Amino acid sequence: MPAEPPAVGAAAAHVRATLDGVFATVARVRDATARCLADVHATGRAPVRADLAALRPLLLARLGPLVCGLGFIAAPQLLADAAWYMEWWLAGPGGRPSQLLRDLNPESSALYDYTRWEWFTGPESGAERTVCGPYVDYLCSDEYVLTLSAPVHVAGTFAGVAAADVYARTFENEVVPALREIPAPAFVVNAPGRVMASNTASWPPGAVYRENPAYSARPCGDLSLSLVTAG
């Protein structure tokens, strides 16, 4: 078996480092949210939406250039004044942030049920780090995004999810130069096999890869992603 080109390991490490940086931001939001909720519970009352406004300086400071959306998504019934709630901020045009405001009334036919998405169900079921996508984010941007998320726990109880969005095109721009150093077709896939970034038109982003003896897959660290190369 021929030796693996050094560029393969370097590219896998670069993919991991890129997303590790985003997960570091998610971890800061997770920890700040847990502290905020714990402080409220220590006063003997249930948290309300206004309590989560304390997160905004952190969220606004951490938006861009890689992170296009950031925030906390509450578990249903966590807050006393809202059955469902998202403290979510977007990097708007010209870098001006804006808060995402959507119909989260559980009695409404237009309810955005975020509890069914992988970025929520993964952390809820115990995953410490979840990478979801690429998928079209009809809620926020109508663009292809990746969502990276982690669970928030307070006193051992699941309270919701800290998460960050990354435009798929931004992720591609970040990792494709490293993929181009590999002297063979190469692409990054998520756990279901969806191509996230590629150095070849034969495997464009969004294509679905299934195990093939002509290709080999290398994990990108402990992420649920793999670098697939021909040969």
Side-chain angles (χ1 to χ4, degrees), residues 14-113:
H14 184 64
V15 170
R16 176 182 177 178
T18 298
L19 295 187
D20 275 351
V22 179
F23 270 120
T25 293
V26 171
R28 289 178 68 99
V29 175
R30 176 200 64 202
D31 294 346
T33 305
R35 287 194 300 270
C36 173
L37 295 174
D39 288 346
V40 172
H41 283 298
T43 68
R45 65 174 177 85
V48 295
R49 288 173 293 180
D51 293 318
L52 297 176
L55 300 175
R56 292 177 185 176
L58 170 63
L59 301 180
L60 300 185
R62 292 284 167 170
L63 284 173
L66 194 58
V67 174
C68 63
L70 185 64
F72 169 69
I73 304 92
Q77 310 304 324
L78 173 75
L79 304 179
D81 63 343
W84 300 52
Y85 187 67
M86 302 174 68
E87 182 67 38
W88 191 263
W89 288 79
L90 308 168
R96 179 176 298 177
S98 61
Q99 186 176 14
L100 177 68
L101 300 173
R102 288 292 184 268
D103 186 353
L104 296 176
N105 179 355
E107 303 301 321
S108 171
S109 61
L111 169 69
Y112 174 69
D113 184 0

Side-chain angles (χ1 to χ4, degrees), residues 198-209:
S198 173
N199 70 359
T200 171
S202 299
W203 290 97
V208 177
Y209 168 77

